Amino acid sequence: MTAWLQSAADWLRSPQSLNLETLIDSLNDAVIVIEKHNRLQYANRHWSQLTGHASADCQYQPFTQFIHPEDRVNWQIAFQKFHQACDSQLLWLRILDKEDVVHWCEIRVQPLLPDRPYPLSATLCDITPQIRSDQIKEARYRSLNRLVDRVPAMIYRSRNNIHWTMEFVSDGCRELTGYTPEKMINNAELSYGSLIHDDDQEDVWCNVQKAIQDNRCFEIAYRLRHADGHTRQVYEKGCAIYSDTGSILGIEGVIFALDSVL
């Protein structure tokens, strides 16, 4: 027996081999345990690396809060199928990390204990690098068509957060902001919210949230910092978009340089 095999055999016989948490934390996939009411009971170290949330902070939190709003219905369907048949389920979901960055994950769900439907164990493999860019765009931007880049304005779809994290930005952002869409999508290099003038950020946020609360479109004017350093007056019109269950999927709208509107 080689020295390596002898070392492995010694480790398997040692008390350390009984530490299952150490073993699970060594995996390159996220491993979670979900209880009957769809709440997390356990998450391994790789879950923290994937989402940016400490495992302890996620305990007893609804698993759905980490899923992209557009994929939550798919998860609920898979969850119900599993409850009815107790068969292993395999599906793709988008997981949102602490900074609202999207991670495409292949998720396999199976019963943790024999002859019992709950709790569930699930493994999540981050397949984002394997998803082709055109497939990602199709999923993110299917509500938009090819003509948007011809509009002399910035058409966008964003998350409803203080950073206005962009999921889609038309080419009009080049002229409006001086930045390319790639720098802004998913806050790759900067967030759109960081370009809004400091004195206007709170008013923009409050006006949009009030419009969402009133279930109406919003129209606002504010100052925006261009990449070349000068400040632009812009006009924005948009509205919230909702899932079939009424949850907010994001914000869609259009932003013009104010001098192009007048």
Side-chain angles (χ1 to χ4, degrees):
M1 182 181 292
T2 65
W4 184 91
L5 289 175
Q6 183 62 53
S7 177
D10 292 341
W11 184 88
L12 288 171
R13 287 193 294 267
S14 71
Q16 184 182 5
S17 67
L18 300 178
N19 190 338
L20 296 180
E21 186 171 2
T22 300
L23 176 63
I24 295 173
D25 279 341
S26 72
L27 300 177
N28 288 326
D29 292 341
V31 178
I32 58 177
V33 175
I34 306 169
E35 53 95 46
K36 183 177 181 179
H37 300 292
N38 215 353
R39 295 181 180 274
L40 292 177
Q41 282 189 333
Y42 169 81
N44 73 340
R45 183 181 302 166
H46 196 79
W47 168 262
S48 299
Q49 295 172 358
L50 177 69
T51 65
H53 295 281
S55 297
D57 294 339
C58 298
Q59 194 171 20
Y60 306 120
Q61 296 299 312
F63 177 53
T64 49
Q65 80 177 40
F66 304 101
I67 301 174
H68 191 285
E70 289 184 350
D71 292 344
R72 288 172 186 169
V73 172
N74 292 339
W75 167 251
Q76 293 294 349
I77 292 172
F79 195 75
Q80 289 300 320
K81 285 182 178 178
F82 183 88
H83 175 66
Q84 294 166 4
C86 291
D87 289 332
S88 177
Q89 297 287 325
L90 180 66
L91 67 159
W92 287 7
L93 294 177
R94 285 167 288 180
I95 299 297
L96 296 172
D97 69 15
K98 194 173 185 179
E99 303 299 327
D100 271 345
V101 175
V102 173
H103 298 267
W104 282 86
C105 291
E106 182 180 80
I107 302 180
R108 183 176 293 278
V109 184
Q110 53 274 316
L112 182 64
L113 302 171
D115 303 321
R116 293 181 59 182
Y118 300 102
L120 313 177
S121 67
T123 54
L124 295 82
C125 178
D126 189 349
I127 59 172
T128 305
Q130 286 77 46
I131 302 294
R132 296 188 305 167
S133 61
D134 59 339
Q135 290 175 310
I136 297 175
K137 290 177 181 178
E138 181 181 355
R140 289 176 177 162
Y141 318 141
R142 58 179 176 265
S143 61
L144 303 169
N145 59 49
R146 297 177 183 177
L147 298 178
V148 295
D149 285 337
R150 300 180 185 177
V151 177
M154 184 177 117
I155 297 173
Y156 70 87
R157 180 175 184 177
S158 78
R159 301 275 297 154
N160 184 38
N161 59 32
I162 197 67
H163 304 294
W164 304 116
T165 302
M166 293 295 171
E167 294 186 344
F168 171 84
V169 177
S170 71
D171 274 350
C173 75
R174 299 174 189 268
E175 192 279 329
L176 185 78
T177 70
Y179 296 100
T180 63
E182 292 75 19
K183 291 186 177 180
M184 208 172 297
I185 291 174
N186 263 331
N187 301 338
E189 295 187 22
L190 75 162
S191 69
Y192 182 79
S194 69
L195 302 181
I196 299 174
H197 193 284
D198 292 346
D199 294 338
D200 295 342
Q201 289 179 5
E202 184 175 356
D203 285 343
V204 170
W205 174 258
C206 291
N207 276 303
V208 173
Q209 300 313 304
K210 182 63 165 60
I212 293 174
Q213 184 179 355
D214 295 342
N215 196 26
R216 59 175 173 82
C217 294
F218 60 85
E219 296 183 50
I220 47 178
Y222 54 91
R223 291 164 290 179
L224 193 73
R225 285 189 288 265
H226 192 274
D228 64 13
H230 81 275
T231 300
R232 306 198 70 171
Q233 292 283 342
V234 300
Y235 165 84
E236 178 176 350
K237 183 171 184 177
C239 61
I241 52 175
Y242 302 88
S243 70
D244 292 339
T245 60
S247 61
I248 297 176
L249 297 177
I251 308 292
E252 287 184 348
V254 59
I255 306 171
F256 297 90
L258 197 55
D259 53 13
S260 69
V261 178
L262 300 177

